[in-house]
Amino acid sequence: RSDIKKISYQVDTIQNEYDKIYTNLKDLQTDNRHILTAYKSIFNPERLVKVNKSYFKSFTLSKISGHSQDGEFAVYEVNTSSLIESPQGFYDFLDGVNKSDNIIGVNFPIDFKRDGNLIKSSFTMHVYIASAKKKMEDVEIEE
């Protein structure tokens, strides 16, 4: 009887700890839903240009290097140059990047040069894409 009580107490303690961790996991998944979705999305350079072209007078995207493995992510590096009317357009672009369907890092330095009434900007972005192997593991886990 004493052994049963000890084991029952241990089971209850472990169950309570599990419930706390599970609740925390669900809260984190809810709070970071956008990031988790971005992690699983496929990067489309044409869509990125189309969505963000409204922030700039001219917006071009050129690939510097292909996919390179960086741990669990394939890193897609792009070099961007653009013409904007004011710095506010660039800040609006950064806000849009934060809300995009991909995980994108805008890297420093960001080069701004005056060109008549416009501002010419040049910067590098990294788009982080989950590697194919990692995506397959995620699909298996969800099923």
Side-chain angles (χ1 to χ4, degrees):
R1 214 176 206 179
S2 174
D3 288 343
I4 291 174
K5 284 185 178 183
K6 287 178 188 176
I7 291 172
S8 178
Y9 175 77
Q10 290 173 345
V11 168
D12 288 345
T13 303
I14 292 169
Q15 183 65 46
N16 288 339
E17 188 65 25
Y18 171 82
D19 291 343
K20 285 181 200 173
I21 292 170
Y22 185 77
T23 301
N24 188 27
L25 170 67
K26 289 302 175 186
D27 290 343
L28 287 170
Q29 285 176 333
T30 301
D31 294 344
N32 299 297
R33 182 177 48 247
H34 181 73
I35 295 168
L36 294 171
T37 303
Y39 174 71
K40 296 175 186 176
S41 70
I42 296 170
F43 177 62
N44 182 345
E46 292 83 21
R47 181 168 165 20
L48 180 73
V49 171
K50 183 180 174 186
V51 168
N52 294 301
K53 201 168 192 147
S54 63
Y55 298 114
F56 303 96
K57 275 277 206 209
S58 169
F59 183 77
T60 57
L61 191 65
S62 60
K63 186 174 164 182
I64 291 178
S65 63
H67 296 286
S68 63
Q69 286 304 104
D70 182 26
E72 296 177 358
F73 292 98
V75 179
Y76 190 92
E77 188 176 55
V78 292
N79 184 22
T80 309
S81 60
S82 58
L83 291 170
I84 54 178
E85 293 177 350
S86 75
Q88 186 60 45
F90 183 76
Y91 296 128
D92 292 342
F93 163 74
L94 291 178
D95 286 339
V97 164
N98 282 335
K99 296 173 185 170
S100 74
D101 294 338
N102 299 102
I103 300 172
I104 300 174
V106 177
N107 302 324
F108 291 95
I110 300 171
D111 185 34
F112 291 103
K113 291 183 182 173
R114 185 179 176 102
D115 186 16
N117 289 337
L118 297 173
I119 301 169
K120 190 179 250 185
S121 64
S122 173
F123 53 95
T124 304
M125 299 186 311
H126 280 94
V127 180
Y128 297 92
I129 306 166
S131 64
K133 179 181 173 189
K134 185 68 178 164
K135 283 188 179 186
M136 289 305 296
E137 290 171 3
D138 288 346
V139 170
E140 291 171 4
I141 290 171
E142 288 176 4
E143 294 174 353

